[in-house]
Structure formats: structure tokens, C-alpha cells
Amino acid sequence: MPVERTEHRGAEELHRDYQVYETIGSGGFAKVKLGRHILSGEKVAIKIMNKKDLGDDLPRVKVEIEAMKNLSHQHVCRLYQVIETSTQIFMVLEYCPGGELFDYIIAKDRLSEEETRVFFRQIVSAMAYVHSQGYAHRDLKPENLLIDEDHNLKLIDFGLCAKPKGGLGYELMTCCGSPAYAAPELIQGKAYIGSEADVWSMGVLLFALLCGYLPFDDDNCMVLYRKITRGKYDNPQWLSPGSVLLLNQMMQVDPKRRITVRQLLDHPWAIKDYNSPVEWRTRQPLGHIDEDCITEMAVNMKRSRGSTTALVKEWRYDQTTATYLLLLSKKKRGKPVRLRPEPTVCEDSCSPLHQGLQAREALHFSEDEDAVIVGSLDFGSDYIDDCPCTQVKQYTPKGVRGQPDGAANHKDARPAEKRYAYSPTPERGRTPAQHRQDRRNRDQERACENKENKENKENKENIAVQEKDVEIFALPPPRTPVSSKKSARPNKNVLTTPNQNAHVNGTKTKAATPKAGGSASKEHIKKRAAEFKDLADVEILAFSPERRSRSLDMAVTEDSGKKKKRGGNVFGSLERGLDKMITMLTPSKRRDGPRKIKAQYNVTLTSQTNPDQILNQILSILPEKNVDFTQKGYTLKCRTWGDFGKVTMAFELEVCMLQRPEVVGIRRQRLKGDAWVYKHLVEDILSSSSI
Ligand code: ADP
């Protein structure tokens, strides 16, 4: 099959099944975006990888996918679907809205022993399960543990995992993982047992939870390795004797003297206040078939239950697997086991696929340009009442759904209610009364979801960009000729950056206005843009996906002692006053004011009430810290650059208003880069800004 066609199909598949929103994280291999599975309405995380950028690391992604297909556990992030094209791989994953455990730790400075125990039991549970399935994770760290909506941990990033052929007792040789968490035998290049190395990393992790910094840390890699191989670290005075003992048992340099995961399950420290061993067996066995989910899918797909079951049981990690697993997840959370009815008519113009393709066309969604499709979480636009059928024609991109001329098939257009009516079919064998009940159920569900969406709108702390303005901010021009695409110099002109048709690294990018056909009037475009406000908030970033070297060439970290000496945690509530006032911002950029959000652990509270002052303070300090930024309203997308024009760090700072207490807050979110370096940098920025 020609490359282009495969590529098109893959992207088409993604956009047919999912709405794709903003970037919520990025790692060494991937960019991760928030998405919504259209059929179930469930949020998902979409991990996007370019094969070209993966290069030699492509096998790691395959390893990760295979491992995740074989793992199903309450504390392991679930894989729902894999879409592979000739150039890209999309992994659709369980969405964990609580962010990384790392951010949680640093936001709280450190956790109490009680809270640490809750998390630690979950980590032990996940690891005991992973090991029981024959896998060693080999990259355990707080960045790879995400917090779900119920505040439970989910293990991610199995790219470095290993499943020795003869079982976990067999030795491994590859030295990998993050150096600060790597076991001594691993960094010494010795053969090692994967599960033993994981216990060491769990010890480092436990230390980080209880202390808020790493037991072994140094700017200089060789010094760091020496510290690790000696296994000497200081126990701060706040650690209980029980914690000191457990840490010591886990961070034993000799792996044979190290405690095992099995022993951790009923370790006195782990069972304190619980009086029960850690429950490690899965509550979600692989291959389990739930009859309610099958029934709903059968109804939706207009198939028999038998054939639906057979289809699901293929576990192809396609749309069928995703739909089944997401329905199951809904059921587990007490939500109705319901799917949205498949659109029957007018789907060319109104279906999510159509909208997705429009977005793709308007945004040049390709693997080269890092287009971010930012949408509101409002699910309304692809739902019955919002079908903007009558205006779609001019905007249909070429080739949609096999219509090479791009003309949407509107002759079938009927009133919206009919078009999306939940059309009963004989296969379903339901009475009219049952159909009415179906309809009522769905209406109820929709009302429920509308409420949820409304709440989401009010509480989008982790969402990158919020405002409705159609603005594209240019990235700074190249810093060195080495790689004009990847580098930039400090952006001093950001305040006068034009809003639209900005140049991104020399390439003229399209404004976020949906692409119009030749006959579209300006009014039409405006109207259309308003309707598709999901697509209106677009920024094109120029991150070149940096491949994080997972071997021992670790990112340089600052001395964790520095922070302690400075005293006070700038991530916590800040009481210091503002003594400087700089007026730098163009008023038009701020006309909507900062977002109002609830206090969250990734929001630093200030004692100030004037958001502009705070914003100006930060703006004045970023260039001093060699941080490039693009500004959008009160959100600053920040980056630091390493040698050869590579982005070493990407994060967001957003000035926002808190409701209770009514003060200015700064929401921060790391998107890329070493977590501890980020911690020190943001601390530095915030404390230097005299906030
Ligand atoms: P890589 O394999 O490239 O290292 P990761 O799998 O670690 O990428 O993902 C990068 C980041 O994206 C994570 O650190 C996290 O912040 C975010 N992320 C990954 N998966 C999810 C998810 N399921 N839900 C929410 N955020 C996620």
C-alpha cells in the first residue's frame, strides 16, 4: 500500500474514533495528548510517536506495546488501542488526570509517612503483579507513576521493560533507566536480575516520597555513580525508625541482601494501620468478558451478541478492544454502560471523523509540524443538537470519506433529531417501549455528561490553553545556525507578536480559522470558527521530539541540597510581598483576564491579588534564567534549550485566579525534561520573581 495512503488511513482512524485535544505530557519518545473516545465519551491519553524520530528506539515502543497488551491491573495504566501508520504510532491509554507522582511530591515538598504508605502499597502491588507476569519495569521513578481521578497510582512507560525468556530469575545485561534510580549492579554493567533492580528503584522512590529529594544526587555523573555504588545516603531526622529500616532493606548494594517484592507485601511498615498484606492480584483479569458491555456493543454495532463476543475476544487493540475496555471502565465507575449511537446520515459533515479531518487540514496535522489540536472538553459539537450541518459544505476538505472532490454529501441532510436518531434495527429485537426507554436513558446520560462537561470546563487545571481567541504566537527565531528548526533565542518581542498568520521558525503557519472552500464568505468563516471553537484555539509548537537517552548519560541535576538551604518551598503557599511593578503587557492580550480555577497541588498560591503584577514579574525573570517563552494571555509556554538546539525542558506557567482564597495562583505543568531539573528551575523562577 502506498505510504501516503497508509498514513492517511491511520490518522483517519484516529480522528474517526477520537477527538484530539492538547498536549498533556511528553517524554523521550513521545508526545501525549488528551483525547476523547467518541463512541463511549470517555477521556483517554493518546501517546503519539514518530517512527522517524524513534530511529533505533522503535523496538522499545514495540516492547512497550507488547508488555501493555499483557498487563491489566488496577495500578498499571491500561492500553486501549494501537494505531500504526507507516510513519507514526498512536497508543491510546487510560487517562490519568492527576498528573505525575513527581509533581505531587514536589508540590507538597514531601509526603507524610501515612500518605506515602498509601502510595507505596500501590507501587508494591503494581510491581508484584508486573513481576508475576515475568516483566521487570527497569525505569521506576515518580515521573512514571500517574495519579488517576480517584487519586490512585498507575504505572506507565514500559519502554524499557524486560521479560527474560527463562523467567525473571534470569540475568539481564542492558544498562538502562534513569541513573538516579538505577541499582548499583546495573550502573556497574554487571549482569543483574530485573526484579532486584526494580526493588532498588522502589527504595529510591520511597525515599523521594518521604523526603522530597533524591538519596543519591550530583551534578557530576561520575560522582553520582560513586555515591550509588557505595550506597551511602543520609536519613533526614524526620524519618521514623521504621522508614529508615525499610529504606535500608531496599537500598542494599548487594542485590542478594536486598528485600524482595514478595517480602514487601507484608512488611510491617507496609501493613501498619492496614493490618493486611498488599493486595497485588489483578482485579481486572485479561480476557474477562462482561455481558453488559457486550450487549451494549452488540446493540450499537447491530450484531449478534455471539459475534460481538467473538470480535472482542480477538483482542486486536483496535476500536473494538478500546470500546469494550472503555465501556468496562465506565461500568466500574458506576456510569451507565452506554455508547453513543453511530451517526447514520449526514456523517460526512457531522461525524467526528469529518471534524477531525477538518481540523487536520486546517492545522496541517502531520508528523513534521507539531500541530496541537486544542479543543474544549465540551462534547456538544458532535452531538445531536449541535450538528451544524447546513453550513458544513464549503468547509469539507478534499477527499473526505472517499469523495475526491471534497463535497460533503448533503442531499441526505435531514433534521438533526432524525439524522442521529437511535435507529432501531430488527437485530436488536427491542420493543418500541424499550426504544423509548433507551432514548430516555441516553437523554439522562447526556444531561449527566453535559453537567460533567460543564464541571470540566470550570476545572481544567491541567489543560494547556484555555482561551477562545484565535491566536498563534511565533516561536523565537533561531539562536544558532546549527538547527534553525529546533533552536530559538530568548523571546523579547513576544508582546508585540502578531496574533495570526505568524511565522513559526520561518514557516508561515496557518491561522486557526477552519479552512474554507473557495465560496466561503468571511462571515461564514467567522460563524464556523465560532461553532468549532474546539478548533479555534490552536498553537503550533516547534518542539523537535528529543530522544531522551535512557542509558546512563543522565540529565544534569542541581544539588538537591541547594533547595533545602534556601529554605521554604516556593511550590507551597507563598506569603512574600511583591515589591516591583513592571508594566510590560499589551492590554489586548489580557482582555479576558486570567482563568479562575480551584486550588490544586500544581498551583502555587501567592498572597497577591493582582494577576498582571505577578505575570509581569515572571515575564521579567524568564530571560534572566535563559528560559524562552511564548505567551498566550496569562499562559507562558516555556522552554530551555540545550546544545545543538535541542529543547531540554518544556513547561507551562499560567497565572490564574483562585476562588478560595481569592488570590493569584501560578499553575505549573512540566511537559518535557528531567523532573528534578524542572523542579529546581521553577523554584528558582518563582522565588526570583519575588512572588
Ligand atoms: P515516553 O515513553 O516518551 O517517556 P511517557 O509514556 O513517559 O513517554 O509519557 C510522557 C508523559 O506524558 C508522562 O510523563 C506524563 O506526564 C504524560 N502521560 C503519559 N501517559 C499518560 C496518561 N495515560 N495520562 C495522562 N498523562 C500521561
Side-chain angles (χ1 to χ4, degrees):
M1 189 185 294
V3 170
E4 244 175 61
R5 253 183 93 195
T6 332
E7 180 54 34
H8 184 69
R9 284 217 182 143
E12 195 176 277
E13 200 179 332
L14 181 75
H15 289 284
R16 184 192 59 214
D17 301 339
Y18 298 92
Q19 288 186 323
V20 184
Y21 301 110
E22 76 283 354
T23 302
I24 50 174
S26 83
F29 303 127
K31 182 170 294 290
V32 179
K33 287 177 187 281
L34 174 64
R36 196 186 277 274
H37 181 247
I38 290 166
L39 212 49
S40 65
E42 291 289 280
K43 285 179 219 160
V44 293
I46 304 173
K47 187 165 169 173
I48 304 169
M49 287 154 287
N50 289 327
K51 288 180 175 173
K52 205 168 68 190
D53 297 325
L54 286 169
D56 296 343
D57 288 322
L58 182 61
R60 286 183 179 178
V61 177
K62 304 273 175 185
V63 165
E64 174 165 38
I65 290 171
E66 279 320 301
M68 292 193 84
K69 283 181 180 175
N70 291 322
L71 298 171
S72 173
H73 187 266
Q74 51 280 14
H75 297 301
V76 175
C77 184
R78 193 74 168 98
L79 175 70
Y80 296 135
Q81 184 169 357
V82 181
I83 300 171
E84 183 172 354
T85 73
S86 56
T87 56
Q88 284 178 301
I89 299 175
F90 304 97
M91 288 170 70
V92 181
L93 299 160
E94 178 179 2
Y95 172 54
C96 303
E100 296 172 14
L101 178 60
F102 173 85
D103 291 306
Y104 189 76
I105 302 171
I106 60 162
K108 294 199 134 191
D109 211 10
R110 61 172 194 258
L111 308 190
S112 68
E113 188 172 313
E114 288 66 40
E115 196 175 6
T116 298
R117 184 170 292 110
V118 176
F119 283 145
F120 187 71
R121 283 176 64 96
Q122 298 184 1
I123 296 165
V124 172
S125 169
M127 290 315 299
Y129 169 76
V130 168
H131 289 171
S132 76
Q133 300 303 299
Y135 290 95
H137 186 277
R138 303 200 298 180
D139 199 14
L140 264 181
K141 54 184 177 181
E143 297 92 305
N144 285 339
L145 284 155
L146 302 183
I147 300 173
D148 74 5
E149 63 180 359
D150 300 321
H151 206 64
N152 288 319
L153 292 183
K154 304 275 176 172
L155 183 59
I156 58 161
D157 207 349
F158 286 80
L160 292 174
C161 79
K163 190 179 188 184
K165 285 222 168 65
L168 254 193
Y170 276 70
E171 288 177 331
L172 298 161
M173 280 307 293
T174 316
C175 181
C176 56
S178 303
Y181 299 84
E185 66 272 21
L186 212 136
I187 59 173
Q188 285 170 332
K190 294 179 181 166
Y192 64 94
I193 303 289
S195 52
E196 293 172 351
D198 278 346
V199 172
W200 174 279
S201 307
M202 288 163 78
V204 177
L205 218 160
L206 178 62
F207 187 98
L209 286 166
L210 290 166
C211 305
Y213 57 89
L214 293 165
F216 311 103
D217 199 4
D218 204 279
D219 283 356
N220 183 309
C221 282
M222 293 321 289
V223 177
L224 173 68
Y225 299 160
R226 235 174 279 135
K227 284 182 181 174
I228 294 172
T229 44
R230 279 177 52 229
K232 291 259 176 300
Y233 57 89
D234 292 329
N235 287 308
Q237 95 292 348
W238 60 78
L239 290 181
S240 71
S243 301
V244 171
L245 178 67
L246 176 58
L247 288 166
N248 179 265
Q249 291 171 319
M250 298 179 81
M251 287 187 279
Q252 280 292 316
V253 173
D254 178 358
K256 297 301 164 214
R257 298 183 60 189
R258 209 173 288 155
I259 196 167
T260 63
V261 171
R262 192 166 287 275
Q263 290 169 319
L264 285 174
L265 292 171
D266 54 5
H267 190 282
W269 188 94
I271 63 172
K272 191 171 171 224
D273 301 331
Y274 282 82
N275 299 321
S276 62
V278 172
E279 181 47 72
W280 64 273
R281 285 190 178 79
T282 182
R283 286 186 225 128
Q284 313 157 358
L286 278 168
H288 168 74
I289 291 293
D290 180 277
E291 294 306 329
D292 292 342
C293 299
I294 293 292
T295 305
E296 178 62 13
M297 284 176 74
V299 167
N300 188 275
M301 294 158 76
K302 303 179 182 71
R303 298 174 71 112
S304 71
R305 292 179 72 261
S307 72
T308 306
T309 307
L311 202 63
V312 169
K313 277 186 166 173
E314 287 179 29
W315 302 113
R316 290 155 65 105
Y317 286 83
D318 55 3
Q319 166 72 338
T320 303
T321 308
T323 305
Y324 173 78
L325 292 175
L326 285 162
L327 264 181
L328 197 59
S329 156
K330 274 179 118 170
K331 183 176 177 180
K332 292 227 163 82
R333 284 175 295 127
K335 287 172 107 183
V337 183
R338 286 282 177 269
L339 295 173
R340 289 164 196 280
E342 295 257 41
T344 48
V345 188
C346 187
E347 56 189 358
D348 282 337
S349 58
C350 304
S351 74
L353 165 66
H354 172 80
Q355 292 181 18
L357 286 176
Q358 279 194 324
R360 202 158 64 84
E361 171 127 324
L363 297 170
H364 274 277
F365 190 81
S366 79
E367 74 274 22
D368 293 321
E369 279 172 334
D370 191 4
V372 181
I373 303 179
V374 181
S376 93
L377 285 179
D378 191 345
F379 204 67
S381 58
D382 59 39
Y383 219 59
I384 299 171
D385 305 333
D386 296 288
C387 176
C389 193
T390 50
Q391 295 158 29
V392 166
K393 201 168 178 179
Q394 289 122 305
Y395 300 93
T396 306
K398 284 197 172 181
V400 172
R401 276 281 173 98
Q403 293 187 63
D405 62 358
N409 183 2
H410 268 256
K411 54 183 184 287
D412 290 342
R414 283 175 241 157
E417 180 72 10
K418 267 211 163 141
R419 264 179 272 125
Y420 276 77
Y422 195 68
S423 54
T425 60
E427 295 97 304
R428 301 174 65 204
R430 292 169 84 78
T431 64
Q434 282 172 317
H435 288 306
R436 277 196 299 278
Q437 185 56 43
D438 282 344
R439 183 71 150 271
R440 273 197 296 274
N441 288 343
R442 280 172 174 79
D443 285 346
Q444 260 174 18
E445 189 190 353
R446 187 150 37 113
C448 212
E449 280 165 352
N450 283 342
K451 187 168 165 270
E452 186 200 324
N453 287 332
K454 205 169 155 231
E455 281 162 10
N456 280 332
K457 269 187 179 165
E458 288 162 6
N459 186 18
K460 294 197 283 184
E461 280 77 9
N462 284 326
I463 288 171
V465 186
Q466 309 294 332
E467 295 164 18
K468 308 264 184 315
D469 307 7
V470 180
E471 290 179 334
I472 296 177
F473 290 95
L475 280 178
R479 173 186 276 156
T480 66
V482 177
S483 167
S484 61
K485 202 177 171 203
K486 293 173 180 174
S487 61
R489 64 176 146 74
N491 189 351
K492 297 212 171 95
N493 296 328
V494 70
L495 301 174
T496 51
T497 306
N499 289 358
Q500 292 187 358
N501 297 326
H503 285 71
V504 176
N505 293 325
T507 313
K508 193 167 188 205
T509 59
K510 291 183 185 208
T513 322
K515 192 172 185 175
S519 59
S521 67
K522 273 190 183 161
E523 288 71 30
H524 225 125
I525 295 170
K526 260 168 103 178
K527 203 169 169 195
R528 187 76 183 140
E531 280 160 358
F532 282 83
K533 57 181 186 292
D534 302 29
L535 307 179
D537 202 358
V538 171
E539 179 169 0
I540 297 183
L541 300 177
F543 291 171
S544 51
E546 176 207 25
R547 204 172 311 129
R548 175 177 62 198
S549 173
R550 305 293 200 99
S551 58
L552 294 175
D553 54 330
M554 125 184 251
V556 177
T557 53
E558 278 182 30
D559 181 2
S560 59
K562 250 188 217 165
K563 191 236 136 204
K564 280 178 279 156
K565 272 179 228 132
R566 265 204 305 269
N569 175 17
V570 289
F571 286 130
S573 179
L574 292 169
E575 299 301 333
R576 269 168 278 151
L578 244 179
D579 54 5
K580 254 167 52 186
M581 165 75 184
I582 311 160
T583 43
M584 287 168 65
L585 255 162
T586 321
S588 65
K589 290 249 163 47
R590 304 186 192 173
R591 62 187 177 273
D592 294 333
R595 266 193 324 132
K596 288 196 173 60
I597 64 169
K598 290 180 196 147
Q600 286 265 316
Y601 70 83
N602 63 343
V603 176
T604 299
L605 298 188
T606 73
S607 54
Q608 305 299 308
T609 50
N610 185 337
D612 291 346
Q613 281 185 356
I614 299 282
L615 183 61
N616 289 334
Q617 290 286 87
I618 298 173
L619 284 170
S620 68
I621 221 73
L622 289 177
E624 274 178 36
K625 304 289 173 194
N626 291 322
V627 175
D628 288 343
F629 60 94
T630 52
Q631 183 191 351
K632 181 163 187 193
Y634 288 79
T635 300
L636 304 172
K637 287 180 175 286
C638 305
R639 294 169 203 91
T640 60
W641 302 85
D643 296 337
F644 312 113
K646 282 201 165 181
V647 173
T648 48
M649 182 91 67
F651 58 96
E652 281 185 9
L653 296 176
E654 182 190 359
V655 174
C656 39
M657 287 307 294
L658 291 154
Q659 280 146 345
R660 252 167 286 140
E662 266 197 36
V663 291
V664 178
I666 298 148
R667 182 188 64 84
R668 38 175 218 286
Q669 189 180 4
R670 184 175 65 92
L671 295 173
K672 183 190 184 92
D674 182 274
W676 295 95
V677 178
Y678 157 80
K679 169 182 155 70
H680 293 304
L681 178 63
V682 175
E683 276 179 354
D684 196 19
I685 292 167
L686 296 188
S687 58
S688 306
S689 306
S690 319
I691 291 164

